[in-house]
Amino acid sequence: MDLFALEELVIVLAASVLIIYLSHKLKLPSVVGFLLTGVLIGPGGLSLVKNTETVNILAEIGVVMLLFTIGLEFEPARLKRIQRDFWAGGGLQVSLTTSATVIVLIALKVPFREALFYGFLVSLSSTAVVLKILADRGETGAPQGRISLGVLIFQDLAIVPMIALVPVLANASRVSLGAIGLRFGLSALAIGTAFILARFLMPRVLHLVVRTRIREVFLIAS
């Protein structure tokens, strides 16, 4: 990291502290403060931070850390209890939102493929933002928190086939059914691999790390 990137990092952190403090005083969720920080100091605002590549990297790391922290609160047994919310709530939310968006856009003379793409975008939410707001309110264990979690997990999984369909929507005349099936197969394989690694391999790896009883090793491994 050069001095320019370090300077922008300091600006981001300093502005975040100030705006989060003001958000707390105004009783606004901290996530809103983070979003306002990006809007105000980014290239579209005061341009205090101009290197968008650096910002994108920091943002992705921040989202990963946030989801990791939130994920520590959820147990596999708890996820089993939201199966109905996952299938029914998530399935209905994504399908109905996508369908409603497509109908509205087609009525506005938007081509079907473009309307479907925008429908995908409208049907998705930010898991990090929603879960952070629920955690700040202490509502992750409430009925609305349980339903929201089921819907969000369904959306996260639905992103994979949606991404696989984007090239198909862009070149519908050049893509065969075999290519579509291959994309969905690779998507299913990616999801299955991630699930197997997270469910069976990672607990054993973390168990070995914990046995070292070295806090720094556990933090780095996590």
Side-chain angles (χ1 to χ4, degrees):
M1 180 179 292
D2 55 25
L3 292 179
F4 180 75
L6 182 60
E7 176 184 350
E8 293 199 335
L9 175 60
V10 172
I11 293 174
V12 170
L13 294 177
S16 298
V17 171
L18 176 60
I19 295 180
I20 291 301
Y21 175 77
L22 295 176
S23 299
H24 177 71
K25 288 295 184 180
L26 297 174
K27 300 187 182 302
L28 295 175
S30 58
V31 172
V32 175
F34 287 128
L35 295 176
L36 289 176
T37 302
V39 172
L40 290 175
I41 70 176
L46 301 176
S47 295
L48 297 179
V49 176
K50 300 178 181 179
N51 190 342
T52 56
E53 182 178 352
T54 301
V55 174
N56 289 336
I57 294 174
L58 293 175
E60 292 189 10
I61 294 175
V63 171
V64 169
M65 294 299 181
L66 175 60
L67 290 178
F68 176 78
T69 303
I70 295 174
L72 292 176
E73 302 179 9
F74 299 105
E75 301 176 357
R78 184 177 180 183
L79 295 178
K80 290 181 180 179
R81 293 196 295 269
I82 63 170
Q83 289 188 38
R84 185 176 64 177
D85 303 311
F86 173 83
W87 293 110
L92 286 174
Q93 184 273 321
V94 171
S95 59
L96 293 179
T97 305
T98 302
S99 300
T101 304
V102 170
I103 293 173
V104 171
L105 292 180
I106 288 180
L108 297 175
K109 309 301 182 181
V110 176
F112 172 76
R113 287 184 291 172
E114 294 182 19
L116 182 58
F117 174 76
Y118 287 120
F120 289 161
L121 296 181
V122 174
S123 68
L124 300 175
S125 309
S126 173
T127 301
V129 171
V130 176
L131 290 183
K132 177 59 177 174
I133 293 175
L134 291 173
D136 289 344
R137 295 179 177 178
E139 297 179 355
T140 54
Q144 64 269 26
R146 185 186 68 249
I147 296 173
S148 299
L149 177 61
V151 172
L152 290 169
I153 294 177
F154 187 93
Q155 290 179 359
D156 291 339
L157 294 180
I159 289 176
V160 179
M162 288 179 182
I163 292 176
L165 279 176
V166 169
V168 177
L169 296 176
N171 303 286
S173 59
R174 304 178 185 176
V175 180
S176 63
L177 292 177
I180 297 176
L182 177 62
R183 289 184 178 275
F184 275 103
L186 292 175
S187 301
L189 178 62
I191 294 175
T193 302
F195 175 81
I196 292 174
L197 291 176
R199 184 68 180 88
F200 300 103
L201 178 61
M202 290 309 299
R204 290 178 171 81
V205 173
L206 290 177
H207 178 70
L208 294 175
V209 171
V210 171
R211 290 181 59 184
T212 64
R213 298 184 180 277
I214 302 176
R215 180 178 300 178
E216 291 77 11
V217 173
F218 176 72
L219 178 61
I220 295 172
S222 300

